[in-house]
Amino acid sequence: MFALPIQAEGTFTMEKMNRRKFIGTTLAGTMAMTTMLRGASNNTGKSRLKTGLIGCGWYGMVDVKAALKVGGVEIVALCDIDSEHLKNSADEVEKLQGSRPKTFKSYKELLDTPGLEAVIIASPPHWHALMFIAALEKGLDVYCEKPLAYDINEGKAMVAAAKKHGRIVQIGFQRRQSQAIQQARQYIQQGNIGRIIQAEAQIHYTAEMRDTTPQEPPASLDWDSWCGPGPKLPYCPQIGHFAWRLEKESGHGHLVDWGIHLIDATRWILSLTMPRSVQAAGGIYYFKDKITTPDILTVHFDFDTCPVIWHHRMWGAQEYDPEVSNGIFFYGEKG
Ligand SMILES: NC(=O)c1ccc[n+]([C@@H]2O[C@H](COP(=O)([O-])OP(=O)(O)OC[C@H]3O[C@@H](n4cnc5c(N)ncnc54)[C@H](O)[C@@H]3O)[C@@H](O)[C@H]2O)c1
C-alpha cells in the first residue's frame, strides 16, 4: 500500500487546518494557472495578458494574487455582485499592480471590456456554466475554478463550448502541479507497486457552522444575483459567501467541493478516464437541519482497471492516524 497524505506537499495537516493555512497551501499551486494564462497570450515581448476576474471572493483573489506574483498578467477588470468585495478587491489589485481595474456588477459587461483577453471565473459553481460559455463566445481564454460545473448537463455544454470556440481553457485542479502528486504518479506508473487493484481517497475534517437562521443579506450583497440560475434560497450566513459549499443548490457538498481534488489526482495518477458506475451511501447525521449535503459519505467509483473509494466525515472524526485524514491510498499487487 502506498499512502499519499496531502501533508506530503509540505503544507498543512488537517487537524490544524484553518483558512489561512489553506490559502497558503493553495497559493503555490495556483502558479499553474498563471503559466496557462501567459501561454494563452497572443502578445509577445513585455505586454501583459489583459485578464478579468469574475467573483472577487476568497479564491478569486488567491488566483489573482498568484497571477500577479508570477507576472505577465494585467488585471484590467473585476466583477462581483457584492459591492464590498468588488471595492476591496479593486483596492488590493491597484496596490499590487499600480493600476486600478475597471469594476462591474454584471459579468456580461465585464466580458465586453475592450482589449480583454482572458478571464478567471471564481464565482460559486452554480454560476460557472453561464459565465464560462459567455466568455468563450467572446473569444476569451478561460481559467475556471473547480468544480467545472454544477451538474453533468452543464458540464457537457461547457465542454462542447470549449471545443467549438477552440480557446485555451483550464480548470482549477492545481494539485496536478504539486510535486508530491507528480512524484506519486511517476512512482506508480514506473510499476514500483505493481498493478493498482484499489485506491481510496478521503478528507475528514471539522466543518465550521455559521448561523442558519434565515435573515436579510448584508446590504452590499445582491442576493438575487448570487442565487442567479439556481433556486432563490432564503439568505443565511451558512449558505452565503464561502459557506455555500455544503448547500446542495450551490456547492453540492464536501466531495464535490474539496474531495474533487483528490478524485482528480487519483484519476490523473492512475490514468483513469470515467467510471463505469458510481454508488454512494451516506447522509446528514451530525449536522442535521444545518446543511443539505452529507456529513458522512462513502462512494464507490467503478473504473475499468480498479475501484476508487471515497470517504468523508465532517465533525472532527479523524483517521486512526490523523496524518492521513486528508490523502490517497494506493493498493498495488506488489505493495
Ligand atoms: N482550486 C482550489 O483549490 C479552490 C479553493 C477554493 C475555492 N475554489 C473555487 O473557487 C470558486 C469560488 O470559491 P470561494 O471560496 O472564493 O467562494 P466565495 O464565496 O468566497 O467567493 C465567491 C464570490 O463570487 C461572487 N459572486 C457570486 N455570484 C456572482 C455573480 N453572478 N457575478 C459575480 N460575482 C458573483 C460572490 O459575491 C463572492 O465574492 C468556487 O468554484 C470554488 O470551488 C477553488
Side-chain angles (χ1 to χ4, degrees):
M1 185 265 289
F2 175 73
L4 180 62
I6 294 307
Q7 293 92 322
E9 285 178 295
T11 49
F12 60 86
T13 57
M14 285 306 300
E15 73 279 11
K16 289 183 191 142
M17 184 73 182
N18 63 33
R19 194 174 146 124
R20 181 173 302 181
K21 277 196 177 176
F22 189 37
I23 291 170
T25 300
T26 45
L27 186 63
T30 315
M31 301 302 185
M33 176 266 292
T34 55
T35 311
M36 166 266 177
L37 287 174
R38 278 197 290 188
S41 175
N42 296 325
N43 297 327
T44 51
K46 285 186 181 155
S47 61
R48 294 178 293 161
L49 187 73
K50 291 189 172 31
T51 303
L53 168 68
I54 303 174
C56 306
W58 168 32
Y59 222 72
M61 285 305 288
V62 171
D63 287 342
V64 155
K65 283 184 248 174
L68 291 174
K69 193 168 174 190
V70 172
V73 170
E74 181 188 0
I75 305 299
V76 295
L78 300 176
C79 163
D80 206 293
I81 46 76
D82 185 320
S83 55
E84 209 170 287
H85 284 198
L86 193 57
K87 183 191 173 301
N88 292 344
S89 303
D91 289 348
E92 206 170 348
V93 170
E94 183 173 14
K95 229 180 259 166
L96 288 168
Q97 71 179 13
S99 59
R100 191 168 184 84
K102 290 203 167 87
T103 54
F104 300 91
K105 183 174 176 191
S106 155
Y107 72 91
K108 290 185 181 160
E109 286 176 19
L110 173 141
L111 295 177
D112 282 331
T113 306
L116 190 68
E117 294 170 282
V119 71
I120 299 167
I121 298 174
S123 58
H126 61 280
W127 261 113
H128 285 184
L130 290 173
M131 293 167 172
F132 179 99
I133 293 170
L136 288 169
E137 282 171 352
K138 293 283 178 189
L140 303 176
D141 297 319
V142 181
Y143 184 86
C144 181
E145 268 306 342
K146 49 55 60 174
L148 169 69
Y150 172 74
D151 69 17
I152 289 177
N153 289 330
E154 289 189 354
K156 283 182 177 165
M158 291 162 86
V159 170
K163 285 186 179 149
K164 178 175 167 197
H165 294 284
R167 303 307 309 174
I168 294 175
V169 167
Q170 190 172 346
I171 307 305
F173 286 128
Q174 74 275 7
R175 279 166 178 73
R176 288 188 183 205
Q177 274 76 37
S178 98
Q179 259 197 359
I181 285 174
Q182 289 184 354
Q183 284 167 2
R185 182 171 200 256
Q186 193 181 23
Y187 187 77
I188 286 171
Q189 297 224 344
Q190 284 168 345
N192 287 301
I193 59 169
R195 187 164 70 88
I196 302 298
I197 312 294
Q198 189 186 49
E200 279 185 11
Q202 59 193 23
I203 306 179
H204 308 306
Y205 82 117
T206 307
E208 277 173 38
M209 281 300 123
R210 298 187 180 180
D211 188 357
T212 55
T213 323
Q215 54 194 264
E216 281 299 309
S220 60
L221 170 62
D222 178 344
W223 185 241
D224 275 2
S225 297
W226 191 99
C227 293
K232 298 286 176 272
L233 302 168
Y235 174 81
C236 71
Q238 182 52 35
I239 51 169
H241 292 319
F242 183 77
W244 49 261
R245 337 176 103 72
L246 302 182
E247 162 55 47
K248 67 178 162 50
E249 304 295 354
S250 47
H252 263 163
H254 179 47
L255 168 61
V256 175
D257 177 49
W258 199 355
I260 197 171
H261 280 298
L262 299 197
I263 300 298
D264 176 66
T266 306
R267 289 178 59 237
W268 188 67
I269 288 169
L270 300 180
S271 299
L272 300 173
T273 54
M274 292 298 285
R276 292 181 295 208
S277 67
V278 180
Q279 290 173 37
I284 310 167
Y285 294 89
Y286 188 82
F287 290 120
K288 208 162 176 37
D289 302 325
K290 294 207 159 103
I291 59 175
T292 52
T293 53
D295 56 21
I296 298 182
L297 188 65
T298 299
V299 185
H300 187 283
F301 297 90
D302 183 28
F303 288 92
D304 275 347
T305 52
C306 76
V308 174
I309 294 155
W310 165 260
H311 300 286
H312 75 237
R313 293 186 294 273
M314 290 177 35
W315 63 95
Q318 298 281 359
E319 215 32 83
Y320 61 94
D321 175 357
E323 277 237 312
V324 294
S325 277
N326 180 343
I328 311 170
F329 299 88
F330 296 94
Y331 298 89
E333 48 184 1
K334 288 201 256 158

